[in-house]
Amino acid sequence: MSRVTVRRPVLRVRQAVPAHRIDSLAAEEPLEIRVGGEPLTVTMRTPGDDFDLAAGFLVSEGTVAAPADIVAIRYCAGATRGGLNTYNVVDVTLAPGVAAPRARNFYTTSSCGVCGKASLEAVRTVARWDVRDDPVELSLETVAALPDRLRAAQRVFDRTGGLHAAGLFTAAGEPLCVREDVGRHNAVDKLLGWALRTGRLPLRSAVLMVSGRASFELVQKAVMGGVPVLAAVSAPSSLAVELAAERGLTLIGFLRGESMNVYTCDQRLNVTPGGGNGSSAARPAG
């Protein structure tokens, strides 16, 4: 069994009948991210795709935007008495001329993506790409199918029931990459890191689908990755809607089958039955 899951004994009661069994839990461990050997932040995450997570975190911070911005990412020796590698510490070497971000004041929990920011204004990181002019158009059928397509790719969730998922899809609904993590912001950072390391940024005409709610930090991360559309199965926050409107991102919430709320930039969704096939021609709002 990999470190993604942990097996523990439990007492399971079904219809008043108790039984002892072994249950699989989603692993949660700290990951310290260092830049140039200096501690930057600690986040609670599900082990796996750690290099993508570190790279994606730096994309979200506005530090890097291209593969060449990062020289290397490596695991460091952990804090064990014997100096063994815990695989819970990664060090990122930035290219010459790429300024390191300021260290976070606190660790980041698996439920929060912006802990340690000095102020709300500091969270409004200046994006390198403007998604307002992205002309992607999505059909209603494509958007409605995204939750099921994301759920079908959640392999660890099937064993634990305890992970968030984030997926990148084309305008036609084809999956590009899916990541799982105990933290929804970590899952998105892993996607952004994958996109950075494979030279896919900015993610123009792509759709980011998340399994939980649409929070401010997820909208921020989508904008930082150049993603024009963010869809979530649950509700957005007021600040998430405000930021999406400000940055020109299409924000969809409560996406369950053909039912959804489009909170911002609804011109990208073609609601005509059978209309639209993921073309790049924008439809005027009306």
Side-chain angles (χ1 to χ4, degrees), residues 120-185:
L120 180 59
E121 287 305 311
V123 179
R124 295 179 181 269
T125 311
V126 177
R128 296 173 185 254
W129 303 289
D130 192 345
V131 302
R132 293 183 185 90
D133 63 349
D134 195 311
V136 64
E137 181 178 309
L138 304 171
S139 70
L140 182 63
E141 292 80 5
T142 294
V143 175
L146 291 179
D148 286 342
R149 292 189 176 185
L150 180 65
R151 179 66 182 83
Q154 291 184 253
R155 299 176 182 176
V156 182
F157 182 88
D158 287 336
R159 287 183 285 169
T160 66
L163 288 179
H164 289 284
L168 286 170
F169 295 86
T170 68
E174 297 302 320
L176 295 171
C177 184
V178 174
R179 292 288 184 262
E180 293 179 280
D181 200 278
V182 288
R184 56 181 176 270
H185 63 283

Side-chain angles (χ1 to χ4, degrees), residues 32 34-40 74 76 90-93:
E32 179 181 333
R34 300 176 181 175
V35 175
E38 296 297 322
L40 175 62
R74 65 183 182 89
C76 303
V90 297
D91 189 18
V92 181
T93 301

Side-chain angles (χ1 to χ4, degrees), residues 92-115:
V92 181
T93 301
L94 299 176
V98 179
R102 297 181 61 181
R104 292 289 184 95
N105 295 325
F106 306 99
Y107 78 93
T108 304
T109 70
S110 57
S111 61
C112 175
V114 296
C115 295

Side-chain angles (χ1 to χ4, degrees), residues 55 71 73 97 152 154 173 178 181 202 218 240 268:
V71 174
I73 305 177
Q154 291 184 253
V178 174
D181 200 278
L218 296 193
R268 292 192 175 109

Side-chain angles (χ1 to χ4, degrees), residues 17-263:
V17 178
H20 289 278
R21 56 165 291 177
I22 300 298
D23 195 24
S24 292
L25 307 177
E28 183 176 29
E29 297 181 13
L31 179 71
E32 179 181 333
I33 301 174
R34 300 176 181 175
V35 175
E38 296 297 322
L40 175 62
T41 190
V42 177
T43 183
M44 300 301 296
R45 99 301 187 192
T46 299
D49 302 303
D50 290 334
F51 290 180
D52 285 345
L53 175 55
F57 180 83
L58 293 176
V59 171
S60 295
E61 293 290 296
T63 302
V64 299
D69 291 339
I70 294 178
V71 174
I73 305 177
R74 65 183 182 89
Y75 284 109
C76 303
T80 61
R81 179 172 298 179
L84 298 177
N85 199 331
T86 62
Y87 296 98
N88 282 333
V89 182
V90 297
D91 189 18
V92 181
T93 301
L94 299 176
V98 179
R102 297 181 61 181
R104 292 289 184 95
N105 295 325
F106 306 99
Y107 78 93
T108 304
T109 70
S110 57
S111 61
C112 175
V114 296
C115 295
K117 288 290 189 180
S119 67
L120 180 59
E121 287 305 311
V123 179
R124 295 179 181 269
T125 311
V126 177
R128 296 173 185 254
W129 303 289
D130 192 345
V131 302
R132 293 183 185 90
D133 63 349
D134 195 311
V136 64
E137 181 178 309
L138 304 171
S139 70
L140 182 63
E141 292 80 5
T142 294
V143 175
L146 291 179
D148 286 342
R149 292 189 176 185
L150 180 65
R151 179 66 182 83
Q154 291 184 253
R155 299 176 182 176
V156 182
F157 182 88
D158 287 336
R159 287 183 285 169
T160 66
L163 288 179
H164 289 284
L168 286 170
F169 295 86
T170 68
E174 297 302 320
L176 295 171
C177 184
V178 174
R179 292 288 184 262
E180 293 179 280
D181 200 278
V182 288
R184 56 181 176 270
H185 63 283
N186 285 338
V188 174
D189 275 345
K190 287 178 178 181
L191 288 180
L192 294 182
W194 168 84
L196 174 83
R197 300 175 71 207
T198 56
R200 293 173 179 262
L201 291 182
L203 289 160
R204 289 186 60 83
S205 298
V207 182
L208 174 59
M209 177 73 212
V210 296
S211 60
R213 63 185 179 89
S215 59
F216 173 89
E217 66 264 25
L218 296 193
V219 171
Q220 176 75 8
K221 290 176 186 297
V223 170
M224 293 303 292
V227 180
V229 181
L230 170 61
V233 299
S234 193
S237 67
S238 62
L239 200 57
V241 174
E242 178 183 325
L243 182 62
E246 175 186 311
R247 297 301 175 91
L249 176 138
T250 300
L251 179 58
I252 301 172
F254 293 108
L255 176 54
R256 296 156 191 181
E258 293 188 354
S259 297
M260 66 193 77
N261 290 346
V262 185
Y263 292 90

